[in-house]
Amino acid sequence: MDPYQQAQSSSLQEGDVVYLFYRNPHTQNVASIQPASIMANPFEEGELSIFLYDTYYPLSDEFVFFTSLEEAEALYNDYFGPTFE
């Protein structure tokens, strides 16, 4: 898979884990890769949602998410620069 090709929401199932970029709401120039769970949407029966930080977000292709940490890190490093641990 091309590291810039995100997964499609239609290919996900409940229980899958995705990785997405999360910007700190208090410091907009700080971003990190966060794992999130795919869960049943408690507000829309039969639909899935992204569960991140105790919040449900409707699953849609408007979110940029990846099914592997390696894919997310490749784009993160290209966009934000390499990180050092």
Side-chain angles (χ1 to χ4, degrees):
M1 176 183 258
D2 178 2
Y4 303 110
Q5 181 179 351
Q6 76 174 39
Q8 297 297 307
S9 61
S10 60
S11 67
L12 298 172
Q13 301 177 39
E14 188 172 352
D16 286 347
V17 173
V18 294
Y19 300 88
L20 45 89
F21 299 163
Y22 179 80
R23 288 198 181 266
N24 182 322
H26 305 290
T27 310
Q28 285 296 304
N29 64 345
V30 175
S32 61
I33 299 171
Q34 294 295 316
S37 299
I38 302 299
M39 302 181 78
N41 187 335
F43 309 109
E44 295 292 331
E45 188 173 331
E47 294 190 14
L48 295 175
S49 63
I50 295 174
F51 186 68
L52 176 68
Y53 291 118
D54 297 326
T55 302
Y56 293 92
Y57 299 94
L59 182 61
S60 77
D61 288 330
E62 292 179 8
F63 287 99
V64 176
F65 53 84
F66 300 89
T67 55
S68 80
L69 180 58
E70 293 77 20
E71 292 170 342
E73 286 176 338
L75 184 58
Y76 183 94
N77 289 338
D78 283 351
Y79 190 72
F80 294 105
T83 58
F84 302 97
E85 295 184 14

